[in-house]
Amino acid sequence: VEGRFSPVRCLAPRCTVEVARDHAADMSACIGSAGGGPCALLCDPGYRMSRMNKPLLSTRGKPAPALVCNEVGRFEGPHCDEARCASTPAALSLVAADDIAGCVGMEDGQACDFQCSSGLRRVGTLTCRRGEWQTGDV
């Protein structure tokens, strides 16, 4: 329009590449997010969001909820990793509590080494699998 100026702005590119993370819910709704825009990451059961070396920041300087569309139009952020075993194994009644306390927080695939209470014999193994304790025979 003659005699009027349009507002001038600088816009970050939109994230147009489909974002996908193994062991996560569908994230196709994130396509088209503006630069600095967030995309929620929902990990499947038995998986947790990976830790980042430094927190990602959204355009307003607040911690990002998960993935963020960066300045070149690509999503960056965490992935979904196997969950740790956050609780004590159910076999607690068979072992001394101080022997099994070290098993809390073990990573996927790690075995819980424990000693049975006096008079009991250990049979089998306890292994952390995606946040849950699984038993196996020796």
Side-chain angles (χ1 to χ4, degrees):
V1 179
E2 193 173 315
R4 297 174 92 183
F5 290 100
S6 298
V8 176
R9 302 183 287 167
C10 297
L11 298 175
R14 293 193 172 274
C15 280
T16 57
V17 176
E18 184 170 347
V19 59
R21 293 290 193 261
D22 291 336
H23 312 293
D26 177 41
M27 296 170 15
S28 59
C30 296
I31 296 172
S33 293
C39 177
L41 176 63
L42 300 173
C43 296
D44 293 338
Y47 293 84
R48 63 174 168 78
M49 199 180 313
S50 64
R51 295 180 186 205
M52 301 295 294
N53 291 337
K54 61 179 182 171
L56 294 172
L57 297 177
S58 69
T59 54
R60 294 188 179 108
K62 297 179 181 176
L67 304 176
V68 174
C69 181
N70 67 20
E71 64 278 353
V72 295
R74 295 204 181 276
F75 282 102
E76 59 182 25
H79 292 73
C80 293
D81 293 330
E82 290 88 358
R84 292 176 179 243
C85 287
S87 63
T88 56
L92 181 62
S93 61
L94 302 178
V95 297
D98 59 341
D99 286 339
I100 208 155
C103 297
V104 175
M106 286 194 154
E107 297 205 19
D108 185 70
Q110 288 185 310
C112 175
D113 188 28
F114 63 92
Q115 298 296 317
C116 292
S117 299
S118 180
L120 298 175
R121 180 176 63 88
R122 177 174 156 173
V123 178
T125 59
L126 286 170
T127 305
C128 179
R129 294 281 181 229
R130 296 187 186 127
E132 301 289 329
W133 290 105
Q134 293 185 350
T135 59
D137 293 332
V138 175

